[in-house]
Amino acid sequence: MLAPPWIAVPPPGYGGIEAVVASLTEELVRRGHEVTLFAAPGSRSSAQVRTVLERAHPQEIERALFEADHVARVFRLVDEARWLGMPFDVVHDHCGFTAFAMADRLSTPLVHTLHGPFTADTAAFYARHADKAPVVAISRAQLAAAPRALRVAGVVPNPVEADQWPLVRTKDEYLLWVGRMTPEKGPHRAIVAARLAGMRLVLAGPVQPGKEGVFEREIEPHLDGERVLYVGEIAGEHKRRLFSQARALLMPIRWPEPFGMVMLEAMVCGTPVIAFPEGAARELVLDGQTGFLVDDEAEMARACTRSREIDPGRCRAAIVERCDVQTVASAYEGVYRRVAQSRPGARHTRSTAPTAAGGPVVLVDPVAGDLRGTAGR
Amino acid sequence: MLAPPWIAVPPPGYGGIEAVVASLTEELVRRGHEVTLFAAPGSRSSAQVRTVLERAHPQEIERALFEADHVARVFRLVDEARWLGMPFDVVHDHCGFTAFAMADRLSTPLVHTLHGPFTADTAAFYARHADKAPVVAISRAQLAAAPRALRVAGVVPNPVEADQWPLVRTKDEYLLWVGRMTPEKGPHRAIVAARLAGMRLVLAGPVQPGKEGVFEREIEPHLDGERVLYVGEIAGEHKRRLFSQARALLMPIRWPEPFGMVMLEAMVCGTPVIAFPEGAARELVLDGQTGFLVDDEAEMARACTRSREIDPGRCRAAIVERCDVQTVASAYEGVYRRVAQSRPGARHTRSTAPTAAGGPVVLVDPVAGDLRGTAGR
């Protein structure tokens, strides 16, 4: 498991990728796999942890010095394991760009999980290096924006640890919005919708450095301590209580978000999600069963008043079935098996000709897990 | 020639590394070498230019996405040249960290020029990857701070194109200070020294974003348009005139700067350099012959009044002998020959054992060019 060098696993605070790595790694070890976790200093895991840098670099994310250092050291250790007759079967890479771009130079098959959205820059990057290693997408929405050349080993959602979240059937009379306080995430639209619905709204999430102005202009004037509340960043028991007791979670996003962990966290507690049909929301929310997909604030307000129609048990079951860490680990086991059977790096042997050497690794059924109900079989 | 992906070669403005690459590349082509320059879009050269990204990234220097993209693409092209039976003899790498850390996975010998000072982070990086490729230092001072494990293929100074600079024997009565307006570079110390010497001082160089406060507090109060002048950033004919007509260049630096291009540019015009004995100043300035090494502002002031004793012709000759692009290209030819004879990447063949495979490439006489007078023979 090749985690980024920036933040320890599990993350002490912010760190979505590191949380995914932590959760998946623990489950793989629980299943009896031998896992080595290459990660930032400070990491703790049931897997064997190996750190190669002196410290984590949370303030220097994406700095080439540290990414190249981390990845090149790990590649050497992976190669050495092979030389010593104890090869890894597969490297699961979560780490930026360097490992993927150099994966054809590694002695061991590598599979790369796409953690971010595609921008013009990252799409160009992935198109240029598509033959280097197979990828896993975290949603079909993410895949829809991906360069065609990518070799997709599966679509596997990020895991939620269902047993860490309570199912609560009796809800309080408030709506919940959780996220970074930025316009794409739509806290101001949640305020409009809640007001139209005549319901209380709790806003939670960090105000990031540089975004204070937006918060002060768009959000603060609406905070009255009664109808619209802001509770800052949430974690632990407070977070579980807010998610599980909310009447519904609002997701009035206006960008193609490739995933949406907060939607899983709501639904696994039995809290329906009312979302704009953007990005992964369209596949994570089953319209009319685990929440509603709505086009604007007015529709969102109407859906809020209907949220009692949604069965909390159905919400939880749908997420457990598709996104529980058990399901996700099973899906990745399938991916690892297929990737481990491919022959990596053969094309890099210097003595061979470009056709024999440069051809793509033979891979495999295009989409392994179907996010709409069949993931992980 | 593997230039960074950030700024075109030659650089339209700021870009010390790109200026070195431009100058060296032109001279190598002039000598009949076949050179391919892998560089940022917008680059122009007598060599064959190949760009692999869509655009230069001057505002995103060191971003792993672009460095990994650039380097991995170039590595593939270098490997393909070998597969096609037209291999490069050697890759000369000027590009950050990724190429050096991955050089053991390239089919062609690579030599990496150390362009920056060693910090705790970069020293740790170079120590960890020292076996990957030989390096060239740009000064003995730089080398003194280097991790011992590095394999040094030579010390070769940055080139100056002597024929682009006039030798001026009759000087005006002003002292010159050139650099970024930061405390390490010491513009405030230059002001003290010039005042003690009773001479005019011209300050030139950019005020960088975020450093305006230092400039306003430390420098601006001293600007009187007469005894202390600030002329901003300089280039072209203005720069040549300022350098060549100055009585002396002041270098009251207080950090171990690994090189100092402005010292070369002064001396090649016949302008003596009066420097604190930090970093490369100790080897670039020949004390009493091409300038003076002094310990503080008071000594600097005394040296200013003695600067007529320095022969402008001797200043120029010393630099031409050691740092002209011809000398530098000759030194690099020697480095390339030795590096090309080494066997790169052999250790990476997956079937070989770690001792045969992981051992260092045999290299070579430790320091090729002697910066104090014998470089490049």
mmCIF file with all atom_site columns, all heavy atoms in Angstrom, chain A residues 80-93:
data_model
loop_
_atom_site.group_PDB
_atom_site.id
_atom_site.type_symbol
_atom_site.label_atom_id
_atom_site.label_alt_id
_atom_site.label_comp_id
_atom_site.label_asym_id
_atom_site.label_entity_id
_atom_site.label_seq_id
_atom_site.pdbx_PDB_ins_code
_atom_site.Cartn_x
_atom_site.Cartn_y
_atom_site.Cartn_z
_atom_site.occupancy
_atom_site.B_iso_or_equiv
_atom_site.pdbx_formal_charge
_atom_site.auth_seq_id
_atom_site.auth_comp_id
_atom_site.auth_asym_id
_atom_site.auth_atom_id
_atom_site.pdbx_PDB_model_num
ATOM 1   N N   . GLU A 1 80 ? 13.859 -4.495  -4.152 1.00 0.00 ? 80 GLU A N   1
ATOM 2   C CA  . GLU A 1 80 ? 14.730 -5.291  -3.280 1.00 0.00 ? 80 GLU A CA  1
ATOM 3   C C   . GLU A 1 80 ? 13.987 -6.507  -2.723 1.00 0.00 ? 80 GLU A C   1
ATOM 4   O O   . GLU A 1 80 ? 14.558 -7.591  -2.600 1.00 0.00 ? 80 GLU A O   1
ATOM 5   C CB  . GLU A 1 80 ? 15.284 -4.426  -2.143 1.00 0.00 ? 80 GLU A CB  1
ATOM 6   C CG  . GLU A 1 80 ? 16.446 -3.556  -2.613 1.00 0.00 ? 80 GLU A CG  1
ATOM 7   C CD  . GLU A 1 80 ? 16.970 -2.606  -1.534 1.00 0.00 ? 80 GLU A CD  1
ATOM 8   O OE1 . GLU A 1 80 ? 16.418 -2.618  -0.406 1.00 0.00 ? 80 GLU A OE1 1
ATOM 9   O OE2 . GLU A 1 80 ? 17.915 -1.862  -1.829 1.00 0.00 ? 80 GLU A OE2 1
ATOM 10  N N   . ALA A 1 81 ? 12.725 -6.316  -2.392 1.00 0.00 ? 81 ALA A N   1
ATOM 11  C CA  . ALA A 1 81 ? 11.938 -7.454  -1.905 1.00 0.00 ? 81 ALA A CA  1
ATOM 12  C C   . ALA A 1 81 ? 11.918 -8.562  -2.956 1.00 0.00 ? 81 ALA A C   1
ATOM 13  O O   . ALA A 1 81 ? 12.021 -9.749  -2.638 1.00 0.00 ? 81 ALA A O   1
ATOM 14  C CB  . ALA A 1 81 ? 10.518 -7.008  -1.562 1.00 0.00 ? 81 ALA A CB  1
ATOM 15  N N   . ARG A 1 82 ? 11.832 -8.173  -4.220 1.00 0.00 ? 82 ARG A N   1
ATOM 16  C CA  . ARG A 1 82 ? 11.848 -9.164  -5.290 1.00 0.00 ? 82 ARG A CA  1
ATOM 17  C C   . ARG A 1 82 ? 13.221 -9.826  -5.391 1.00 0.00 ? 82 ARG A C   1
ATOM 18  O O   . ARG A 1 82 ? 13.321 -11.054 -5.509 1.00 0.00 ? 82 ARG A O   1
ATOM 19  C CB  . ARG A 1 82 ? 11.448 -8.501  -6.614 1.00 0.00 ? 82 ARG A CB  1
ATOM 20  C CG  . ARG A 1 82 ? 11.436 -9.441  -7.824 1.00 0.00 ? 82 ARG A CG  1
ATOM 21  C CD  . ARG A 1 82 ? 10.692 -8.819  -8.988 1.00 0.00 ? 82 ARG A CD  1
ATOM 22  N NE  . ARG A 1 82 ? 9.306  -8.565  -8.648 1.00 0.00 ? 82 ARG A NE  1
ATOM 23  C CZ  . ARG A 1 82 ? 8.321  -9.456  -8.795 1.00 0.00 ? 82 ARG A CZ  1
ATOM 24  N NH1 . ARG A 1 82 ? 8.580  -10.646 -9.288 1.00 0.00 ? 82 ARG A NH1 1
ATOM 25  N NH2 . ARG A 1 82 ? 7.103  -9.147  -8.445 1.00 0.00 ? 82 ARG A NH2 1
ATOM 26  N N   . TRP A 1 83 ? 14.274 -8.994  -5.332 1.00 0.00 ? 83 TRP A N   1
ATOM 27  C CA  . TRP A 1 83 ? 15.620 -9.557  -5.415 1.00 0.00 ? 83 TRP A CA  1
ATOM 28  C C   . TRP A 1 83 ? 15.868 -10.551 -4.275 1.00 0.00 ? 83 TRP A C   1
ATOM 29  O O   . TRP A 1 83 ? 16.588 -11.525 -4.428 1.00 0.00 ? 83 TRP A O   1
ATOM 30  C CB  . TRP A 1 83 ? 16.682 -8.450  -5.340 1.00 0.00 ? 83 TRP A CB  1
ATOM 31  C CG  . TRP A 1 83 ? 16.640 -7.492  -6.485 1.00 0.00 ? 83 TRP A CG  1
ATOM 32  C CD1 . TRP A 1 83 ? 16.208 -7.732  -7.754 1.00 0.00 ? 83 TRP A CD1 1
ATOM 33  C CD2 . TRP A 1 83 ? 17.061 -6.120  -6.473 1.00 0.00 ? 83 TRP A CD2 1
ATOM 34  N NE1 . TRP A 1 83 ? 16.313 -6.600  -8.522 1.00 0.00 ? 83 TRP A NE1 1
ATOM 35  C CE2 . TRP A 1 83 ? 16.847 -5.595  -7.762 1.00 0.00 ? 83 TRP A CE2 1
ATOM 36  C CE3 . TRP A 1 83 ? 17.600 -5.281  -5.495 1.00 0.00 ? 83 TRP A CE3 1
ATOM 37  C CZ2 . TRP A 1 83 ? 17.145 -4.288  -8.110 1.00 0.00 ? 83 TRP A CZ2 1
ATOM 38  C CZ3 . TRP A 1 83 ? 17.903 -3.973  -5.834 1.00 0.00 ? 83 TRP A CZ3 1
ATOM 39  C CH2 . TRP A 1 83 ? 17.680 -3.477  -7.123 1.00 0.00 ? 83 TRP A CH2 1
ATOM 40  N N   . LEU A 1 84 ? 15.276 -10.259 -3.126 1.00 0.00 ? 84 LEU A N   1
ATOM 41  C CA  . LEU A 1 84 ? 15.477 -11.121 -1.963 1.00 0.00 ? 84 LEU A CA  1
ATOM 42  C C   . LEU A 1 84 ? 14.552 -12.342 -1.990 1.00 0.00 ? 84 LEU A C   1
ATOM 43  O O   . LEU A 1 84 ? 14.525 -13.121 -1.043 1.00 0.00 ? 84 LEU A O   1
ATOM 44  C CB  . LEU A 1 84 ? 15.232 -10.321 -0.671 1.00 0.00 ? 84 LEU A CB  1
ATOM 45  C CG  . LEU A 1 84 ? 16.237 -9.186  -0.432 1.00 0.00 ? 84 LEU A CG  1
ATOM 46  C CD1 . LEU A 1 84 ? 15.773 -8.289  0.708  1.00 0.00 ? 84 LEU A CD1 1
ATOM 47  C CD2 . LEU A 1 84 ? 17.631 -9.756  -0.136 1.00 0.00 ? 84 LEU A CD2 1
ATOM 48  N N   . GLY A 1 85 ? 13.797 -12.493 -3.055 1.00 0.00 ? 85 GLY A N   1
ATOM 49  C CA  . GLY A 1 85 ? 12.950 -13.668 -3.186 1.00 0.00 ? 85 GLY A CA  1
ATOM 50  C C   . GLY A 1 85 ? 11.646 -13.575 -2.424 1.00 0.00 ? 85 GLY A C   1
ATOM 51  O O   . GLY A 1 85 ? 10.959 -14.577 -2.222 1.00 0.00 ? 85 GLY A O   1
ATOM 52  N N   . MET A 1 86 ? 11.299 -12.366 -1.962 1.00 0.00 ? 86 MET A N   1
ATOM 53  C CA  . MET A 1 86 ? 10.036 -12.190 -1.245 1.00 0.00 ? 86 MET A CA  1
ATOM 54  C C   . MET A 1 86 ? 9.231  -11.076 -1.896 1.00 0.00 ? 86 MET A C   1
ATOM 55  O O   . MET A 1 86 ? 8.938  -10.056 -1.281 1.00 0.00 ? 86 MET A O   1
ATOM 56  C CB  . MET A 1 86 ? 10.314 -11.851 0.222  1.00 0.00 ? 86 MET A CB  1
ATOM 57  C CG  . MET A 1 86 ? 11.138 -12.923 0.929  1.00 0.00 ? 86 MET A CG  1
ATOM 58  S SD  . MET A 1 86 ? 11.366 -12.555 2.681  1.00 0.00 ? 86 MET A SD  1
ATOM 59  C CE  . MET A 1 86 ? 12.297 -11.026 2.609  1.00 0.00 ? 86 MET A CE  1
ATOM 60  N N   . PRO A 1 87 ? 8.895  -11.248 -3.162 1.00 0.00 ? 87 PRO A N   1
ATOM 61  C CA  . PRO A 1 87 ? 8.274  -10.144 -3.901 1.00 0.00 ? 87 PRO A CA  1
ATOM 62  C C   . PRO A 1 87 ? 6.870  -9.820  -3.411 1.00 0.00 ? 87 PRO A C   1
ATOM 63  O O   . PRO A 1 87 ? 6.149  -10.687 -2.922 1.00 0.00 ? 87 PRO A O   1
ATOM 64  C CB  . PRO A 1 87 ? 8.217  -10.694 -5.335 1.00 0.00 ? 87 PRO A CB  1
ATOM 65  C CG  . PRO A 1 87 ? 8.144  -12.173 -5.163 1.00 0.00 ? 87 PRO A CG  1
ATOM 66  C CD  . PRO A 1 87 ? 9.005  -12.477 -3.966 1.00 0.00 ? 87 PRO A CD  1
ATOM 67  N N   . PHE A 1 88 ? 6.523  -8.552  -3.525 1.00 0.00 ? 88 PHE A N   1
ATOM 68  C CA  . PHE A 1 88 ? 5.123  -8.171  -3.367 1.00 0.00 ? 88 PHE A CA  1
ATOM 69  C C   . PHE A 1 88 ? 4.339  -8.687  -4.580 1.00 0.00 ? 88 PHE A C   1
ATOM 70  O O   . PHE A 1 88 ? 4.867  -8.727  -5.695 1.00 0.00 ? 88 PHE A O   1
ATOM 71  C CB  . PHE A 1 88 ? 4.994  -6.648  -3.284 1.00 0.00 ? 88 PHE A CB  1
ATOM 72  C CG  . PHE A 1 88 ? 5.576  -6.061  -2.026 1.00 0.00 ? 88 PHE A CG  1
ATOM 73  C CD1 . PHE A 1 88 ? 6.865  -5.534  -2.021 1.00 0.00 ? 88 PHE A CD1 1
ATOM 74  C CD2 . PHE A 1 88 ? 4.838  -6.035  -0.856 1.00 0.00 ? 88 PHE A CD2 1
ATOM 75  C CE1 . PHE A 1 88 ? 7.402  -4.988  -0.865 1.00 0.00 ? 88 PHE A CE1 1
ATOM 76  C CE2 . PHE A 1 88 ? 5.368  -5.491  0.308  1.00 0.00 ? 88 PHE A CE2 1
ATOM 77  C CZ  . PHE A 1 88 ? 6.659  -4.974  0.299  1.00 0.00 ? 88 PHE A CZ  1
ATOM 78  N N   . ASP A 1 89 ? 3.067  -9.052  -4.355 1.00 0.00 ? 89 ASP A N   1
ATOM 79  C CA  . ASP A 1 89 ? 2.226  -9.433  -5.483 1.00 0.00 ? 89 ASP A CA  1
ATOM 80  C C   . ASP A 1 89 ? 1.786  -8.212  -6.274 1.00 0.00 ? 89 ASP A C   1
ATOM 81  O O   . ASP A 1 89 ? 1.682  -8.250  -7.496 1.00 0.00 ? 89 ASP A O   1
ATOM 82  C CB  . ASP A 1 89 ? 0.983  -10.179 -4.975 1.00 0.00 ? 89 ASP A CB  1
ATOM 83  C CG  . ASP A 1 89 ? 1.352  -11.473 -4.280 1.00 0.00 ? 89 ASP A CG  1
ATOM 84  O OD1 . ASP A 1 89 ? 2.136  -12.248 -4.863 1.00 0.00 ? 89 ASP A OD1 1
ATOM 85  O OD2 . ASP A 1 89 ? 0.885  -11.694 -3.142 1.00 0.00 ? 89 ASP A OD2 1
ATOM 86  N N   . VAL A 1 90 ? 1.501  -7.140  -5.561 1.00 0.00 ? 90 VAL A N   1
ATOM 87  C CA  . VAL A 1 90 ? 0.957  -5.964  -6.230 1.00 0.00 ? 90 VAL A CA  1
ATOM 88  C C   . VAL A 1 90 ? 1.233  -4.741  -5.350 1.00 0.00 ? 90 VAL A C   1
ATOM 89  O O   . VAL A 1 90 ? 1.293  -4.850  -4.115 1.00 0.00 ? 90 VAL A O   1
ATOM 90  C CB  . VAL A 1 90 ? -0.563 -6.138  -6.501 1.00 0.00 ? 90 VAL A CB  1
ATOM 91  C CG1 . VAL A 1 90 ? -1.351 -6.213  -5.207 1.00 0.00 ? 90 VAL A CG1 1
ATOM 92  C CG2 . VAL A 1 90 ? -1.113 -5.052  -7.410 1.00 0.00 ? 90 VAL A CG2 1
ATOM 93  N N   . VAL A 1 91 ? 1.447  -3.608  -6.004 1.00 0.00 ? 91 VAL A N   1
ATOM 94  C CA  . VAL A 1 91 ? 1.563  -2.320  -5.310 1.00 0.00 ? 91 VAL A CA  1
ATOM 95  C C   . VAL A 1 91 ? 0.265  -1.551  -5.555 1.00 0.00 ? 91 VAL A C   1
ATOM 96  O O   . VAL A 1 91 ? -0.129 -1.355  -6.709 1.00 0.00 ? 91 VAL A O   1
ATOM 97  C CB  . VAL A 1 91 ? 2.764  -1.510  -5.833 1.00 0.00 ? 91 VAL A CB  1
ATOM 98  C CG1 . VAL A 1 91 ? 2.783  -0.113  -5.212 1.00 0.00 ? 91 VAL A CG1 1
ATOM 99  C CG2 . VAL A 1 91 ? 4.064  -2.242  -5.561 1.00 0.00 ? 91 VAL A CG2 1
ATOM 100 N N   . HIS A 1 92 ? -0.402 -1.151  -4.487 1.00 0.00 ? 92 HIS A N   1
ATOM 101 C CA  . HIS A 1 92 ? -1.612 -0.325  -4.625 1.00 0.00 ? 92 HIS A CA  1
ATOM 102 C C   . HIS A 1 92 ? -1.220 1.115   -4.319 1.00 0.00 ? 92 HIS A C   1
ATOM 103 O O   . HIS A 1 92 ? -0.924 1.460   -3.181 1.00 0.00 ? 92 HIS A O   1
ATOM 104 C CB  . HIS A 1 92 ? -2.696 -0.816  -3.672 1.00 0.00 ? 92 HIS A CB  1
ATOM 105 C CG  . HIS A 1 92 ? -4.011 -0.113  -3.878 1.00 0.00 ? 92 HIS A CG  1
ATOM 106 N ND1 . HIS A 1 92 ? -5.142 -0.394  -3.161 1.00 0.00 ? 92 HIS A ND1 1
ATOM 107 C CD2 . HIS A 1 92 ? -4.367 0.872   -4.747 1.00 0.00 ? 92 HIS A CD2 1
ATOM 108 C CE1 . HIS A 1 92 ? -6.144 0.390   -3.562 1.00 0.00 ? 92 HIS A CE1 1
ATOM 109 N NE2 . HIS A 1 92 ? -5.689 1.173   -4.513 1.00 0.00 ? 92 HIS A NE2 1
ATOM 110 N N   . ASP A 1 93 ? -1.235 1.941   -5.360 1.00 0.00 ? 93 ASP A N   1
ATOM 111 C CA  . ASP A 1 93 ? -0.684 3.300   -5.292 1.00 0.00 ? 93 ASP A CA  1
ATOM 112 C C   . ASP A 1 93 ? -1.792 4.333   -5.115 1.00 0.00 ? 93 ASP A C   1
ATOM 113 O O   . ASP A 1 93 ? -2.732 4.388   -5.902 1.00 0.00 ? 93 ASP A O   1
ATOM 114 C CB  . ASP A 1 93 ? 0.111  3.573   -6.578 1.00 0.00 ? 93 ASP A CB  1
ATOM 115 C CG  . ASP A 1 93 ? 0.473  5.035   -6.727 1.00 0.00 ? 93 ASP A CG  1
ATOM 116 O OD1 . ASP A 1 93 ? 0.846  5.652   -5.710 1.00 0.00 ? 93 ASP A OD1 1
ATOM 117 O OD2 . ASP A 1 93 ? 0.385  5.569   -7.853 1.00 0.00 ? 93 ASP A OD2 1
#
